[in-house]
Amino acid sequence: MHPLDRPIWSALTTRQRALAEGGARALRYPVAVTPFADMVDMTPESFAALGTMMSGSEIAVLFTPDAVTAPAAFKTVLAETGEQMIGTPVESAITGVETVRLGADDVPAMMALTELTKPGPFSARTHELGTFFGVRIDGELVAMAGERMKPDNYTEMTAVCVHPSHRGRGYAQLLLGAISRQIVARGEIPFLHVFSSNASAIALYRRQGMEIRRSLHVTVLQKQM
């Protein structure tokens, strides 16, 4: 199987294995980093292994090639499809606008922006998965993008978001170019995920030179209380 067919499992068993929690049947990232998890297969034993790692209202987000049918012990919070896109976005520049590297001190602003724009799961320690760049206007963080999963020789671009009041100015293209440039410089291949229903984002990424590699099932599970 291609490493991008099961990107979460591939990442947690290759370049990000140091972050992996779990065992032979189920793995996940630390909850404070991201709620992503996966199983070696869809057997009851693997679902049970996943369940032992979850408590309270915690969720597990799975990216899988096939639809997930969870046992009764789980509640399916979301079941959608996403497009996995691959390629190197073209670089761009905006006069008078520079990208800035984001770090721990920027987490409150990053959390606020992702809460507003909903690009996908973003937690207090997500920025630890790789480099994040942002655009600040008058001191306010108005756009950002960064790195997340790192399966095999691939690096995922993530949290591509722009404040609603600052859209249409090319900030997303600027940040995608900056992130992909450093990924390619390390000899890695950029990719990203976007919900199949997000036609405008898919069109943006296509204009940037990316192509759909395949569709994946995005499933969010929660243990029944």
Side-chain angles (χ1 to χ4, degrees), residues 144-168:
M144 61 177 274
E147 301 173 351
R148 187 169 56 187
M149 288 188 282
K150 297 183 176 180
D152 198 51
N153 196 42
Y154 299 84
T155 296
E156 182 196 27
M157 299 184 293
T158 187
V160 183
C161 54
V162 180
H163 192 286
S165 300
H166 294 266
R167 290 175 180 163

Side-chain angles (χ1 to χ4, degrees), residues 36-79:
F36 286 3
D38 200 4
M39 299 169 290
V40 69
D41 54 32
M42 297 292 169
T43 60
E45 292 80 9
S46 293
F47 274 106
L50 176 64
T52 61
M53 292 191 289
M54 301 168 64
S55 61
S57 61
E58 289 179 359
I59 60 172
V61 180
L62 284 67
F63 287 10
T64 57
D66 301 310
V68 174
T69 302
F74 294 88
K75 175 173 65 174
T76 300
V77 179
L78 180 145

Side-chain angles (χ1 to χ4, degrees), residues 168-225:
R169 304 180 188 184
Y171 296 157
Q173 295 95 316
L174 178 69
L175 291 166
L176 281 169
I179 291 294
S180 64
R181 180 171 61 248
Q182 69 169 16
I183 293 172
V184 172
R186 297 195 302 259
E188 301 155 14
I189 302 169
F191 75 106
L192 54 76
H193 295 103
V194 57
F195 280 114
S196 304
S197 58
N198 195 342
S200 61
I202 292 173
L204 166 66
Y205 300 142
R206 283 191 183 279
R207 290 196 300 271
Q208 291 297 297
M210 305 190 76
E211 294 294 337
I212 293 175
R213 176 184 172 270
R214 67 162 301 155
S215 296
L216 290 173
H217 291 269
V218 182
T219 310
V220 179
L221 299 178
Q222 192 173 47
K223 289 178 70 175
Q224 295 280 13
M225 302 299 288

Side-chain angles (χ1 to χ4, degrees), residues 128-141:
E128 296 177 14
L129 293 174
T131 301
F132 279 79
F133 289 130
V135 171
R136 289 188 177 276
I137 302 297
D138 297 328
E140 179 187 6
L141 182 66

